[in-house]
Amino acid sequence: MWYLLQMTTDKKILVAFDFDHTIIDGNSDIEITHLCPDGKVPQDIKDKYSDRSWTNYMAAIFKHIHEHGKTAEDMMETINEIPLTEGMTELLQFLSQDPFEVIIISDSNSVFIDYSLKHYKLDCVSSVYTNPATYDEKGLLKIEYYHTQDWCDLSTVNLCKGHILEEHIKQSGHSYQYVLYVGDGSNDLCPGLRLSNSDYLFPRKDFSLWKKLNVAGCLDGGTSELDLKAKVVEWTSGSQVLNVCKEVCRDSQLQGNKV
């Protein structure tokens, strides 16, 4: 965990983001595979893929493209070409003020996220929780598990987003009036299920999380098979998340005035 911004008030609104297909409008790992010769992943590397851990697969990709002459600069250029999702610039600009705290919880890696944060000057992000990655002395990108977990069947072995969200809340020293979680993938369901009835879950429309919630009946106000307490707001643009952020900010200020 690392910090870019010192918070100034005790009462906060926490906004947690996924990274791929959420802050950026693409998948950083998939884009990096295009650096393979002819843009094709060899079959022996494909065979390493497991839906329980994407990280080992990507480690093999990094080794393969390094062996074929791709450098850190090539990878940085590839990541920086991925645009921000529509409306995300305006949303993150709004969240740069009190009482908001912005964090990222992602199954990407620290190098790729750092590239994007610096490229787009997203200095409102106070903490990033992801798989640590570094370049070795030969220029090979090495990636490690964020942690190894066996307690959550909704998550990959290397990263349980719900556990990370809860740990951040416990260790932050803040009493959050609201927690908002913005994501797109299946692994964003776990943190969503840990939100309270005053919180908000934002699934990106037509992506995996949205599809799971739709099948479970969480999007139409009907009876759901999931124990989901948070308010669900689907989104296609950051502007829809921004509208809710403005609402909860006003509510927070009104509550503060009553104290």
Side-chain angles (χ1 to χ4, degrees), residues 9-259:
T9 62
D10 289 331
K11 292 185 177 180
K12 292 289 181 183
I13 298 170
L14 178 63
V15 187
F17 287 89
D18 177 41
F19 178 65
D20 293 311
H21 289 303
T22 299
I23 288 181
I24 60 170
D25 199 15
N27 185 307
S28 54
D29 286 338
I30 296 300
E31 293 301 318
I32 286 297
T33 66
H34 298 158
L35 294 177
C36 292
D38 299 322
K40 297 180 180 179
V41 179
Q43 187 59 50
D44 63 321
I45 295 180
K46 290 181 180 179
D47 292 341
K48 296 180 184 295
Y49 171 75
S50 165
D51 59 5
R52 287 291 291 159
S53 178
W54 176 261
T55 309
N56 294 340
Y57 170 73
M58 288 310 303
I61 294 286
F62 299 154
K63 182 178 179 183
H64 180 66
I65 63 177
H66 178 260
E67 289 172 346
H68 285 80
K70 298 302 179 181
T71 65
E73 288 74 20
D74 294 323
M75 299 177 82
M76 181 175 66
E77 289 177 5
T78 298
I79 298 302
N80 289 347
E81 287 175 356
I82 306 172
L84 295 177
T85 302
E86 179 184 350
M88 200 56 61
T89 300
E90 295 78 9
L91 170 59
L92 292 170
Q93 286 175 346
F94 181 78
L95 296 179
S96 65
Q97 63 182 313
D98 278 329
F100 294 103
E101 178 183 353
V102 179
I103 67 174
I104 291 174
I105 307 175
S106 167
D107 200 6
S108 180
N109 69 74
S110 57
V111 167
F112 291 176
I113 294 175
D114 189 52
Y115 284 156
S116 280
L117 293 181
K118 290 179 177 177
H119 179 68
Y120 291 110
K121 298 179 173 63
L122 302 180
D123 55 2
C124 66
V125 178
S126 65
S127 305
V128 176
Y129 300 94
T130 189
N131 303 297
T134 55
Y135 290 100
D136 69 12
E137 66 280 358
K138 296 181 180 179
L140 170 62
L141 185 60
K142 296 288 191 71
I143 186 171
E144 301 176 12
Y145 286 9
Y146 176 83
H147 56 203
T148 301
Q149 67 89 18
D150 58 5
W151 57 79
C152 180
D153 292 336
L154 295 174
S155 304
T156 55
V157 68
N158 62 288
L159 191 104
C160 174
K161 293 187 175 186
H163 176 80
I164 292 170
L165 180 63
E166 288 189 336
E167 287 298 300
H168 176 87
I169 291 171
K170 288 177 185 177
Q171 297 174 12
S172 68
H174 296 304
S175 177
Y176 296 108
Q177 292 178 288
Y178 301 95
V179 178
L180 289 67
Y181 189 94
V182 188
D184 73 284
S186 296
N187 60 357
D188 295 313
L189 178 59
C190 178
L193 292 173
R194 304 193 190 210
L195 300 174
S196 73
N197 55 14
S198 63
D199 300 331
Y200 289 82
L201 175 63
F202 296 87
R204 189 173 183 183
K205 188 175 181 181
D206 295 329
F207 284 73
S208 298
L209 176 61
W210 183 90
K211 291 175 182 178
K212 282 182 175 291
L213 297 178
N214 190 38
V215 169
C218 299
L219 300 177
D220 57 9
T223 301
S224 171
E225 63 188 50
L226 295 175
D227 184 23
L228 180 63
K229 302 178 182 68
K231 304 173 186 69
V232 178
V233 180
E234 64 182 38
W235 68 283
T236 56
S237 164
S239 61
Q240 292 152 308
V241 182
L242 176 58
N243 290 337
V244 176
C245 288
K246 289 179 177 179
E247 289 178 12
V248 298
C249 186
R250 285 192 295 267
D251 289 344
S252 176
Q253 291 170 347
L254 288 173
Q255 292 176 32
N257 291 336
K258 293 177 182 178
V259 176

